[in-house]
Amino acid sequence: MIVRPRKESDDKTPAIEADGLTRRFGDFVAVDHVSFRIGRGEIFGFLGSNGCGKTTTMKMLTGLLPVTEGSAKLFGKPMGADDMEARRNVGYMTQAFSLYSELTVRQNLDLHARLYHLPANEIEGRIKELLERYDLKYVADAKPQSLPFGVKQRLQLAVAVLHRPALLILDEPTSGVDPVARDAFWRSLIDLSRNDGVTIFLSTHFMNEAERCDRISLMHRGRVLAVGAPKELVEKRGSNSLEDAFISYLEEAAGTDKGKKAEALQPAASPTKAVASSASKRFDLGRLWAYARREAMELVRDPIRLAFAFVGPAILMMAFGYGITFDVENLKYAAFDQDQTPESRRLLENFSGSHYFSEQRPISSSAEMEQRLKSGELALAVEIPPGFGRELASLHPPEVAV
């Protein structure tokens, strides 16, 4: 897919300007002093692995998450959680499907048109335009839960641009979408950027998508490693591809992190330095504590999860404790004695005298034995074949007194 060049906007005020943007959850730093500028009409990509802080950064830019440090500006104005005017300039699309599954495609569009306060006389025309533009006409009266994932994503994009925002923020919009649907989705994004002048800020972990952006920001562990056009980043690292360049930046960042840790643990050179560095690769007590604390905070915030965490194991323990037993008592059985010798009767006496078994009337035939077992009348059948006594006597002949 060829992306035609972007036409520079006459307004040089950045669409997004982040300066030292930081977000902490307790001692855990999810976003660490991130700074970047996105021009109007630009397609700007956040490239990074899952959990590197892309979504957290986007939520701070949209006012959905408060900022711990730093600042964020949209079109030159500071972004606040209660700034509804600024939010009307932004269309936001989350990773997961977030529309109403009990409403049809058309009803979802109509509801959001009213939520965005579109003039009543424009709603019908705008919905018709979007149904046509994003190829949703044939599913207009269907409910989203019955639609393929790629169609759901087109619907979410239609809702996000419904109020004609100047800025579109998309959080991994094509994750889980097949390649054909992904290309169709990107053609819509390029059309919005080049024809409508919409600024698009998206996160992705697909290299081929990052290459379609005007500029990208490489992110790792909450920090921005580099910002620039994909080709520029590749040339700067002397790599053959964007993937190789990204790996090169990651390796450099990993080396820096190791150096900082080693310096903090061992200020002066010592023989234990190598051992400590090797141990830190295997286990990091600080990271373990940060993860444990984060999970504990989430449990405290969510009473339902907290209840399941404690009540669930208790219920399972009681169920297993009372429901599982290896004790067998009063097991119903019947004897099918085809030998009728003193030896066979002595064997059966061992069963009848035990409290583990409950003797039932004898079995007279093989067919009766099978029928009584299948019906559940018996749990056990003791079958003694003909010649049992004779065979037992041949194994243990009587002693002859001399």
Side-chain angles (χ1 to χ4, degrees), residues 82-148:
D82 57 347
D83 191 347
M84 298 308 297
E85 187 62 34
R87 283 195 182 186
R88 290 193 182 95
N89 282 327
V90 179
Y92 180 52
M93 181 174 164
T94 61
Q95 293 181 30
F97 185 76
S98 57
L99 301 181
Y100 296 95
S101 57
E102 63 270 21
L103 301 180
T104 65
V105 169
R106 190 188 303 276
Q107 288 170 340
N108 266 290
L109 289 168
D110 182 74
L111 172 63
H112 284 82
R114 298 178 190 279
L115 291 175
Y116 285 127
H117 302 291
L118 262 67
N121 60 342
E122 294 183 12
I123 292 178
E124 185 178 351
R126 182 61 173 162
I127 291 175
K128 184 178 180 180
E129 176 190 344
L130 292 172
L131 290 174
E132 183 76 32
R133 184 172 188 176
Y134 295 106
D135 196 20
L136 297 170
K137 282 197 307 182
Y138 70 101
V139 294
D141 297 317
K143 293 184 177 179
Q145 60 188 9
S146 65
L147 302 177

Side-chain angles (χ1 to χ4, degrees), residues 344-372:
S344 65
R345 286 192 288 273
R346 278 197 297 269
L347 174 64
L348 293 175
E349 285 175 1
N350 293 326
F351 285 90
S352 61
S354 171
H355 70 279
Y356 295 113
F357 302 99
S358 175
E359 187 176 9
Q360 308 295 310
R361 60 184 175 83
I363 299 170
S364 59
S365 66
S366 297
E368 180 190 350
M369 178 176 65
E370 184 177 356
Q371 187 272 328
R372 292 173 70 182

Side-chain angles (χ1 to χ4, degrees), residues 254-276:
T256 303
D257 289 342
K258 290 176 184 176
K260 288 180 179 178
K261 286 183 180 179
E263 186 177 351
L265 293 172
Q266 300 286 342
S270 69
T272 61
K273 185 174 182 179
V275 178

Side-chain angles (χ1 to χ4, degrees), residues 144-382:
Q145 60 188 9
S146 65
L147 302 177
F149 192 70
V151 180
K152 289 182 181 179
Q153 294 299 83
R154 293 207 305 271
L155 171 58
Q156 287 210 113
L157 180 59
V159 170
V161 302
L162 181 64
H163 57 300
R164 298 183 178 88
L167 171 63
L168 196 56
I169 297 181
L170 311 174
D171 190 4
E172 296 188 8
T174 58
S175 181
V177 179
D178 64 87
V180 175
R182 187 181 300 145
D183 284 343
F185 191 90
W186 264 92
R187 280 192 289 271
S188 299
L189 296 185
I190 293 168
D191 180 62
L192 284 168
S193 170
R194 299 313 189 241
N195 296 340
D196 299 341
V198 177
T199 305
I200 298 175
F201 178 30
L202 63 90
S203 63
T204 182
H205 49 255
F206 295 113
M207 292 294 169
N208 62 340
E209 289 190 351
E211 290 173 344
R212 296 170 182 171
C213 297
D214 297 313
R215 288 191 306 139
I216 59 173
S217 171
L218 306 182
M219 198 167 184
H220 177 63
R221 289 189 177 180
R223 298 199 306 271
V224 169
L225 305 182
V227 178
K231 288 184 179 180
E232 292 176 0
L233 295 176
V234 172
E235 292 172 358
K236 188 181 294 185
R237 305 303 289 190
S239 304
N240 296 323
S241 64
L242 181 60
E243 182 177 358
D244 292 339
F246 188 27
I247 292 173
S248 175
Y249 277 109
L250 290 176
E251 289 174 346
E252 182 180 315
T256 303
D257 289 342
K258 290 176 184 176
K260 288 180 179 178
K261 286 183 180 179
E263 186 177 351
L265 293 172
Q266 300 286 342
S270 69
T272 61
K273 185 174 182 179
V275 178
S277 176
S278 176
S280 66
K281 293 179 183 178
R282 294 192 298 269
F283 181 75
D284 188 338
L285 187 61
R287 184 180 300 173
L288 175 64
W289 169 248
Y291 283 133
R293 183 171 179 179
R294 180 182 178 185
E295 289 298 320
M297 289 174 64
E298 290 185 2
L299 283 174
V300 171
R301 292 193 193 105
D302 191 345
I304 296 177
R305 288 181 61 188
L306 185 62
F308 274 110
F310 289 99
V311 178
I315 294 174
L316 289 175
M317 184 173 63
M318 293 174 63
F320 282 115
Y322 285 97
I324 298 178
T325 176
F326 293 101
D327 292 337
V328 177
E329 292 185 355
N330 297 320
L331 193 65
K332 292 183 179 180
Y333 85 100
F336 182 23
D337 188 358
Q338 304 173 68
D339 192 50
Q340 299 293 329
T341 61
E343 288 79 4
S344 65
R345 286 192 288 273
R346 278 197 297 269
L347 174 64
L348 293 175
E349 285 175 1
N350 293 326
F351 285 90
S352 61
S354 171
H355 70 279
Y356 295 113
F357 302 99
S358 175
E359 187 176 9
Q360 308 295 310
R361 60 184 175 83
I363 299 170
S364 59
S365 66
S366 297
E368 180 190 350
M369 178 176 65
E370 184 177 356
Q371 187 272 328
R372 292 173 70 182
L373 286 171
K374 284 184 176 179
S375 67
E377 179 187 344
L378 300 177
L380 176 68
V382 180

